[in-house]
Amino acid sequence: MKKSKRQNVEEQLSQLPSLKDHQSRDVLYQAVNKKLERTEKRMPSWLGPGAAVCALLVVLAVFIPVFLSQNQEMNTQPSEQTRDEPARSFENPEMENSAGPSAEGEASVDRGAPLTAITEDEWFTFAYPGRNAEVVIPVFTHDEVPFTKETAEEKGLSERLLQNIKIAVNEEEKNAEVTFPDEFNPAGSAYVQMLMESIRWELYGEEVQTIDLNRTSHDEVPMGNYGDVDRLTPIGEGEYIFKLYQYNEQSSFYLAPVPVTGHPSLEEALKMMKEEGGGTYTVPSVPAHVEFSLVEVEDGHVKLDISHKEWKGEREVTMMLDAISATARQFGMSRVTFHGIKQEEAGGYDLTKPVDLPGPFNVEQ
C-alpha cells in the first residue's frame, strides 16, 4: 500500500514542467558568500537595549548620591529671615478637620520643659495662628528669627502672618508703629482677626500704650469688614484666660489665650478655664475634678485654695499650674500661693512657698 502511494506521487511529479537556473556558478557563489558575511557580522538583537540600560544605571549611580547630598545640605541651612525682612505673604489660614487633642489636655507623648519661664533675659515674641484659624499662639524665644513655615507646621501651627510687616517700638513714647506695604489688601474676616491679634500679641510685654497702623504711603490700613484702621489697642488686663492647644498627638502643647467677654473677676476666669470651647484644638487647662477659691488677694499676690481628686500624672498638674500662672499674670497678679495641692513640687514649681509668676510663656528653649 505504501509503495503504490509513492509511485503515484513520483508519477505526478514527473508530469510537472522542468525548472532551470541559468545563472553561472560564479554569480551564485558571490550571492551566497555575501549572505554568509552579513550573517556573521550581524549584532545580536538584545545588545543595543542592554547597553542603554547599563549606561542609565551608571548615570543614576553617580547622580543620585550627589543630588541627595546637596539636598540634605540645603535643608539643614539655617533661615536668615529676621522680624522685618520681607517674605512671601500668608494666605488665609489653613482650615483643618483632623481630630484634636483628648479632653483635659492629655496626649500620648510627654511634654518637655514647662511652658513658662521666669527670667530677665531678652525675649522675642512671635505669634502664629492655630491650624484652624481660631486662636493665636504667642511663642517666646531667645532667637530673633521666627519659625519657618515648615517648622511651624511641624509644631502644629500655621505660618506667621507678619512676615511682610515692619514693627518699630519707641520705648520712650511707649508707642509701636506697624507699617504694611502699600499693596496690602486682606480677604476674609478670619484672616483679618488673626492678623490683628498677632500684632497685639507680638507687642505683648513691650509696655506700649498705643499701636499705630499705616502703609508706606498711607495713614491707615484696610482691614476687610473692619474698614480702614489706623490704631489698635494693646492687650490689657483681664482680657484672656489660657487653655491648652495641641494640633495632634505628635505636635507641641501650647497655652492658648482665649478672649473672655465682659469683665470677669480672676476667680470667675479661673473657673472658665474648666469649660469647653475656645477652638477646635483647644481643651480646658483645669481638670474637671479640681475646685478652688480665692483666699486672699493683696498687692498682686493671690492665694488659691485648691481641692482635687486623684491626678492623672504630673503633667496634668504642671499644665494646670502653667495655665493658672499665665492667667493670673494676665489679670495683673505677680505672685500666687497654691494651697491644697498634695505635693511639694511639680514641673519646676516649688509649691511650699509663693510662686513668682512668669512673664514669657510658650517658651521655646
Side-chain angles (χ1 to χ4, degrees):
M1 179 70 66
K2 289 183 180 181
K3 184 174 180 181
S4 61
K5 286 183 178 181
R6 179 182 179 87
Q7 291 176 351
N8 291 336
V9 172
E10 290 178 350
E11 291 176 359
Q12 290 178 3
L13 289 174
S14 64
Q15 297 175 4
L16 294 175
S18 60
L19 297 175
K20 294 183 179 181
D21 191 344
H22 298 284
Q23 299 180 84
S24 65
R25 293 183 178 181
D26 294 338
V27 173
L28 290 173
Y29 174 78
Q30 292 178 1
V32 172
N33 189 46
K34 288 182 180 180
K35 290 185 178 182
L36 290 174
E37 289 179 354
R38 186 163 57 246
T39 302
E40 291 174 356
K41 294 180 181 180
R42 182 176 299 170
M43 183 182 295
S45 60
W46 55 266
L47 186 58
V53 171
C54 292
L56 179 60
L57 291 177
V58 171
V59 172
L60 292 177
V62 174
F63 175 73
I64 289 178
V66 174
F67 173 78
L68 293 178
S69 176
Q70 293 177 347
N71 189 52
Q72 183 177 6
E73 291 177 1
M74 292 177 63
N75 289 335
T76 55
Q77 292 296 322
S79 172
E80 296 180 357
Q81 179 186 343
T82 62
R83 183 186 185 100
D84 294 333
E85 286 181 352
R88 69 183 170 212
S89 59
F90 180 87
E91 300 298 333
N92 287 347
E94 180 180 0
M95 307 299 286
E96 302 279 353
N97 291 316
S98 58
S102 57
E104 300 182 5
E106 288 298 312
S108 63
V109 294
D110 288 332
R111 187 175 57 84
L115 300 177
T116 58
I118 302 174
T119 178
E120 298 299 327
D121 295 342
E122 183 178 14
W123 292 89
F124 298 93
T125 311
F126 299 104
Y128 304 87
R131 293 296 289 275
N132 217 33
E134 295 170 309
V135 292
V136 168
I137 308 297
V139 176
F140 290 80
T141 175
H142 288 302
D143 193 349
E144 297 182 61
V145 180
F147 295 150
T148 63
K149 178 181 178 181
E150 293 74 19
T151 301
E153 290 179 349
E154 288 175 1
K155 294 177 177 294
L157 305 172
S158 292
E159 187 178 19
R160 179 172 172 263
L161 302 185
L162 307 183
Q163 297 182 80
N164 292 327
I165 300 169
K166 295 183 179 180
I167 301 177
V169 176
N170 189 321
E171 295 181 356
E172 294 182 359
E173 297 183 5
K174 296 185 177 181
N175 168 263
E177 185 173 353
V178 183
T179 304
F180 291 73
D182 282 340
E183 61 273 14
F184 178 77
N185 188 18
S189 57
Y191 172 83
V192 171
Q193 182 65 30
M194 293 295 99
L195 177 66
M196 293 192 295
E197 287 290 271
S198 294
I199 293 172
R200 298 176 76 224
W201 276 110
E202 290 212 5
L203 290 168
Y204 181 71
E206 293 285 353
E207 297 183 356
V208 297
Q209 297 178 356
T210 56
I211 303 174
D212 294 328
L213 306 184
N214 59 63
R215 286 176 288 169
T216 306
S217 305
H218 304 273
D219 294 331
E220 71 285 319
V221 180
M223 286 293 179
N225 296 336
Y226 292 89
D228 291 339
V229 179
D230 61 3
R231 177 164 292 188
L232 293 178
T233 304
I235 292 174
E237 290 184 2
E239 285 192 49
Y240 297 87
I241 60 174
F242 286 87
K243 296 187 178 182
L244 296 175
Y245 171 91
Q246 187 190 32
Y247 175 58
N248 57 35
E249 292 184 351
Q250 287 72 44
S251 58
S252 304
F253 267 110
Y254 291 102
L255 294 178
V258 177
V260 295
T261 57
H263 301 280
S265 65
L266 176 57
E267 185 172 6
E268 292 171 336
L270 294 176
K271 292 178 180 179
M272 292 178 186
M273 295 164 63
K274 299 173 59 176
E275 300 173 358
E276 298 287 342
T280 305
Y281 308 109
T282 304
V283 296
S285 51
V286 175
H289 65 86
V290 174
E291 299 291 342
F292 45 68
S293 61
L294 298 185
V295 176
E296 183 181 358
V297 176
E298 182 179 358
D299 296 331
H301 182 190
V302 57
K303 298 179 181 179
L304 295 178
D305 189 7
I306 298 176
S307 60
H308 59 86
K309 296 181 181 179
E310 184 177 358
W311 301 104
K312 292 182 179 179
E314 183 175 345
R315 183 178 59 199
E316 184 179 49
V317 183
T318 303
M319 287 186 171
M320 182 193 74
L321 296 176
D322 285 339
I324 291 177
S325 297
T327 300
R329 179 69 178 243
Q330 219 280 308
F331 274 70
M333 301 294 107
S334 59
R335 307 181 82 192
V336 61
T337 298
F338 297 97
H339 291 294
I341 298 180
K342 301 171 184 178
Q343 55 191 75
E344 296 183 350
E345 190 272 342
Y349 289 93
D350 184 352
L351 302 178
T352 64
K353 59 183 181 181
V355 174
D356 291 325
L357 296 181
F361 56 93
N362 291 336
V363 173
E364 289 287 337
Q365 300 292 348

